[in-house]
Amino acid sequence: MSLKQQLTDDMKAAMKAGEKHRLGVIRLINAAIKQREVDERIELDDAAVLAVLEKMVKQRKDSVSQFEAANREDLAAIERAELTVIDTYLPAKLGEAEILAAIEAAIAETGATGPADMGKLMGVLKPRLAGQADMGQVSALIKKKLAG
C-alpha cells in the first residue's frame, strides 16, 4: 500500500474514531502533499511523500525550539503532538553504524577521496537514506570520514 493510500485510510479511521487531533494532522499532511502535486503538476510517489513528511518534521522541530525560547510551552506542546503523529508515517531511523556502512558503500561506489566529493556522496546517499536518517547527521559523518 502506498503512503498516500495509508494516509487516506488513516484519515477515514480517525474520522470514525473521533480522533480530532490525529485527523487534523493527517489533513495537514494531505494538504502539503496536494499542494506540492499542484505546484509541480506531478503525482508524488512514496519517496516524494517522505520528503514532504521530513520537511514537516523539520518545520515542527524548528517551531518547538523557537516556542521554547519564547517560553510558550503551550504552543511547543501542540507542535510536539503534531510531530508524534507525523513520525508514525516515517520509516524507522537507522543507527549510526548502519549510516556509516551506507557511507562506506557510497564511497566505494563513487570513488570519493576528499571533501571535494561531498556533493557527489550526498547525491548518492540522499535517495537511499530518505526518511531513515537525519541528513544533517549524514553530512557530518561524511565530512568526518572524508577529512580523516
Side-chain angles (χ1 to χ4, degrees), residues 4 27-44 48-49 52 55-56 59:
K4 283 173 40 175
R27 283 183 171 155
L28 281 173
I29 294 169
N30 281 334
I33 291 168
K34 187 57 103 179
Q35 180 68 48
R36 180 133 177 247
E37 286 179 339
V38 168
D39 287 349
E40 298 179 16
R41 294 187 174 105
I42 57 169
E43 183 78 20
L44 295 183
V49 171
V52 170
K55 183 177 178 184
M56 291 180 79
Q59 289 171 339

Side-chain angles (χ1 to χ4, degrees), residues 73-118:
E73 190 55 42
D74 55 330
L75 296 174
I78 293 170
E79 294 290 321
R80 275 193 222 97
E82 288 181 4
L83 195 55
T84 306
V85 175
I86 296 169
D87 274 339
T88 60
Y89 296 102
L90 292 173
K93 297 291 182 197
L94 296 176
E96 189 171 327
E98 294 158 315
I99 294 171
L100 284 171
I103 291 171
E104 288 289 337
I107 288 174
E109 183 181 317
T110 60
T113 55
D117 297 323
M118 177 87 178

Side-chain angles (χ1 to χ4, degrees), residues 1-13 26 30 33 37 43-46 49 89:
M1 174 186 319
S2 75
L3 203 47
K4 283 173 40 175
Q5 184 60 47
Q6 181 184 353
L7 282 162
T8 303
D9 293 348
D10 288 353
M11 184 172 67
K12 291 175 187 173
I26 294 172
N30 281 334
I33 291 168
E37 286 179 339
E43 183 78 20
L44 295 183
D45 60 354
D46 278 354
V49 171
Y89 296 102

Side-chain angles (χ1 to χ4, degrees), residues 59-81:
Q59 289 171 339
R60 298 303 178 285
K61 286 181 179 178
D62 290 345
S63 295
V64 166
S65 65
Q66 289 175 2
F67 287 143
E68 286 174 345
N71 290 326
R72 292 297 309 263
E73 190 55 42
D74 55 330
L75 296 174
I78 293 170
E79 294 290 321
R80 275 193 222 97

